[in-house]
Amino acid sequence: MTSAHDSEVRSAGQWPIAITLVLCSLFAAVVALMVKREYENYRFDATEKAALEARIIAEHVDGTMLSARASLDALSNLSSETIASLSNVSPNIEAIVVFDTSGLIAAQGATPDADLPPLTAAAQLATAEGWTGAVGRGGGQFSPSLAIKTPDNRVISALIILPDTNLLGPNRRIIITEPNGKFLSIKPEFKGGLKDTAAATFNIAQADRATGPAGFFVTDPDRAKIVLGSAVSESGLVVYVAKDRSAIDIAWYRTAIMFALLFLGPMLAAAGIWFIIRGQSER
């Protein structure tokens, strides 16, 4: 009789424990979902902001290319010698060469011979609407360039100086590449070594205009954890904005600690209830 009574008491005492464990499990699941949502929001906000900053710089690059294009258009009715002599026609134009209708150099002005191969390569891509992009200068170096056809079918080819990209304040690294990811400009430079392309360097997909601006959490060549934004300009050049994400991570860690405390409190309370009920059922 006593044994049966004790069994009933123990069985009755286990129900509150089971209910408590179920409630704690439900609470843990809710907290886990909240943590997941907060983490996704944290990443989205950080990468979205980086992508927006990259878009701002890309538009600045487009402005420079359009200004240089307007300068070349204004020269299209002048003689080849006059065009080539106006190396200072725009602060963003580094060198100009004019090609005749046969594709031969008609005038190069003060342009050094070393710049003729990339200017010739750009000229071969010229169309009536104009061509913008980047050409190789040897030694793994690339330069943004423009080439337009004049009304009389000559070609004006120019190397472009990238604009000052320090528009967003300190603690940012601005990277500009040609459409296939070859580096044109990195300010400030990395101390670590770079791979052939930006995509390979940061282990991300090659930026594409169709996908629009994008953001990533990556590690840079200096082994720093960064948030990286990318955007493709209308001229085809790709802009990346890299920022150290230490401050962002610290803010997330504080949020994570808050959720951990929120989770730990009820768990400790549940453990206490379990020990109390267990002690009472063993009497």
Side-chain angles (χ1 to χ4, degrees):
M1 183 75 177
T2 303
S3 176
H5 176 72
D6 291 344
S7 177
E8 289 178 1
V9 170
R10 283 194 297 271
S11 178
Q14 289 173 355
W15 278 106
I17 296 174
I19 293 172
T20 301
L21 291 175
V22 170
L23 291 175
C24 288
S25 298
L26 291 174
F27 182 79
V30 170
V31 172
L33 288 174
M34 292 174 64
V35 171
K36 182 176 182 294
R37 184 185 65 185
E38 286 297 318
Y39 182 72
E40 289 174 349
N41 289 341
Y42 142 78
R43 285 188 64 116
F44 177 80
D45 290 344
T47 54
E48 188 76 1
K49 185 176 180 180
L52 176 61
E53 291 184 348
R55 182 65 246 172
I56 291 171
I57 300 298
E59 290 175 354
H60 188 52
V61 170
D62 280 335
T64 297
M65 300 298 280
L66 286 172
S67 175
R69 168 64 189 270
S71 298
L72 295 188
D73 285 339
L75 302 176
S76 60
N77 290 319
L78 301 178
S79 69
S80 299
E81 292 74 13
T82 302
I83 295 172
S85 67
L86 297 176
S87 58
N88 61 347
V89 66
S90 168
N92 300 116
I93 294 180
E94 179 183 355
I96 297 178
V97 167
V98 182
F99 296 83
D100 63 22
T101 55
S102 300
L104 301 176
I105 295 174
Q108 72 180 79
T111 299
D113 291 344
D115 287 339
L116 294 180
L119 286 165
T120 302
Q124 292 172 349
L125 299 170
T127 64
E129 294 76 25
W131 174 85
T132 61
V135 289
R137 304 187 74 164
Q141 300 295 313
F142 288 80
S143 176
S145 56
L146 271 171
I148 66 168
K149 282 189 175 182
T150 65
D152 57 1
N153 282 325
R154 293 175 298 161
V155 173
I156 306 174
S157 180
L159 298 180
I160 309 302
I161 300 172
L162 288 170
D164 179 15
T165 53
N166 187 24
L167 305 175
L168 305 172
N171 304 320
R172 290 169 175 80
R173 178 176 274 110
I174 310 298
I175 303 157
I176 302 176
T177 75
E178 51 89 49
N180 293 320
K182 302 290 187 179
F183 293 101
L184 300 178
S185 171
I186 304 175
K187 295 181 181 179
E189 292 279 350
F190 288 109
K191 296 178 182 178
L194 301 172
K195 295 183 180 178
D196 288 342
T197 65
T201 297
F202 297 112
N203 194 28
I204 58 175
Q206 176 62 39
D208 186 280
R209 187 178 297 164
T211 60
F216 311 89
F217 274 17
V218 297
T219 301
D220 71 14
D222 295 339
R223 298 185 181 277
K225 292 182 178 180
I226 61 171
V227 56
L228 181 73
S230 70
V232 181
S233 69
E234 291 299 322
S235 60
L237 304 183
V238 184
V239 173
Y240 297 90
V241 175
K243 297 188 296 182
D244 183 271
R245 72 172 198 254
S246 298
I248 302 172
D249 285 345
I250 289 172
W252 163 246
Y253 293 150
R254 289 173 179 169
T255 302
I257 290 171
M258 182 193 71
F259 278 113
L261 293 174
L262 181 65
F263 176 77
L264 189 59
M267 291 300 104
L268 291 175
I273 293 171
W274 184 80
F275 278 113
I276 291 172
I277 295 175
R278 182 181 179 188
Q280 290 178 346
S281 64
E282 290 178 351
R283 289 178 183 177

